[in-house]
Amino acid sequence: MIALIAAASLLVAAPELPQLPPITRDPQITYVDRSGAVIGVRGGRYAPPVDLARLPAYVPAAFVAIEDRRFYSHTGVDALGIARAVVADISKGRAAQGASTITQQLARNLFLSSDRTIERKAKEIVYAIELEQTYSKQQILGLYLSRIYFGSGAYGLEAAAQRYYGKPASRLTLMEAATLAGIPKSPTNYNPAEQPQNAAQRAKLVLDAMVETGAITSAQRAQALAHPAKAQREAANEPAQYFVDWLDGRTRQIVGQPKQDLVVETTLDLPMEAAASKAARATVAARKSQGIEQAAVVALDGQGRVRAMVGGLDYTTSPFNRAVQAKRQAGSSWKPFVYLTALEQGWTPNDLVLDAPVTIDGWSPQNYENTFEGVIPLRIALAHSLNTVAARLADQVGRDNVAATARRLGIASPVNTDPAMALGTTLVSPLEMAQSYAAFSNGGQRVSAFGVERIRGANGAVVYQHRLGAPQQVIDNPPLSELNGMLRGVVAFGTGARANIPGYDLAGKTGTTSDYKDAWFAGYTGGFTAVVWTGRDDGSAMRGVTGGSAPADIWKAFMGSALKRAGAKPIPPGPPPPVVEPPPQPQTEPAPPQQTIDDLLRTPETTAPY
């Protein structure tokens, strides 16, 4: 310590002090949900200097009391603190105490490494003195509070307040402020989420110091201790990090490399996001014995705004976004594209079809129950998700036409056209499925999923504003209303009955792939769509998990909360059907006879007319 003082004295006495380096900070991009709640920050590690005027007085006072109680009287270096440290060092025969002021800590954070050398410490003292000569105490404290590390990846006071208490620093209680002020001494030992008892004991010391410095009264201390601060084990916005990652790349495509701090106003609804994450985690945990490993949820409004996006069960351990990046077989959730193609070619929900063994180009699909229902209406075949009917139907209407329908509605991935495509062998993401199903929910208009509403600069000026394009009608009537009626049946009495929520107009489709590798539920109400996927990252099979089980459970649990926030409406009927003039009736030739049930039953197994 004595050598340090000598070294620092030499530097201060030198003809020219080391020049104070410039203070630099990389710009940050702050993402907020549709209500303004912070859901994530990307870019630079450090936020702008904290504006002390926006904080309750006890917040900065807590840090000053515990870290540097003579902060407002010293000139960067605390002579009394150094003297006390020298005495302690001599008495213990080693470096027992530090004597760094807040200004010294800031100097080290801004300009120096953490090397324990006399030269580095001497420069720290000199830089601290220069900081005091250049900036006000308020500026120094604001810079300090924006730079210190609070554990759990949180740098700066604002990030810490959001991480541990889910609120801005301006709304911290006295006990919360004291808890945060206690962390910098040891972010590991005093982390309130991981070491709550240690953090509480340290916070009590902070409150004691605040009473000693006159920052608070003994009565305020007692009141604070009577209301313990309970930190979040997990940040409230942790599930939203999948969404933020997805948007961050898009934001940089829009603005390039940011030269200033930006605020991105997003479409996400944080309470919906929390409900989706909770539903996914709870359902997967309850069905662990069935081998479910992961789940993804995507919810869109009728114009394509992403209201919720859960890319997995735990972002911290697995940031891979299954809602966007995973491409999995769609299973029977693909079948609405097949049936819509048929309806657009003139089929009707009550047309009779044959559920019986069939072979197409050497491929023979099987139904889930390994039974056959014979001759049934088209709507019942979809409600029961019969594979043989879907395979016949796709072959009849043309698999190229089915692929075109899927692309028209929003599927961007390559679509295979082999016979099995009717059963959902195409690899798609949950986001693609959600934006495709959204056309069923909004009256037949195509949507492109998006998450950025507006981007503002540091001064509040709008840098970017999302503009909705002109409506693009991709499904007309009567096919739209007919398909919606059929998909209502799936939820009312078909394979998706577990997803039904009484009192709401709901429709949807289950999806289960071969060997139980993937399970889906895609459903919607008026202007709101949600898609759920469950499976395993390595593509191995689950044990008996179908789209009508775990995915339907997740969907129902999520939608039970989301429908209230979304302001659920009935599924719109879509545009009126076109008026078509009847063609002239032939006078000389009788109309051909209609196909009968006997004709259907006589259909050879080796052909696929339906």
Side-chain angles (χ1 to χ4, degrees), residues 20 56 70 76 84 97 113 122 131 133 154 252 296 299 311 340 400 471 476 501 523 576:
L20 193 67
R70 283 180 288 276
R84 186 179 65 247
Q97 290 189 11
S113 69
L131 281 170
Q133 294 173 351
R252 294 171 192 276
L340 177 59
D400 287 337
D476 293 318
I501 304 174

Side-chain angles (χ1 to χ4, degrees), residues 76-118:
V77 179
D78 183 1
L80 289 176
I82 291 176
R84 186 179 65 247
V86 169
V87 172
D89 288 354
I90 293 173
S91 64
K92 293 183 179 293
R94 58 183 174 83
Q97 290 189 11
S100 292
T101 64
I102 282 176
T103 315
Q104 287 176 255
Q105 293 178 51
L106 177 62
R108 182 168 63 248
N109 187 295
L110 289 172
F111 310 125
L112 301 167
S113 69
S114 297
D115 295 340
R116 293 179 175 272
T117 64
I118 292 178

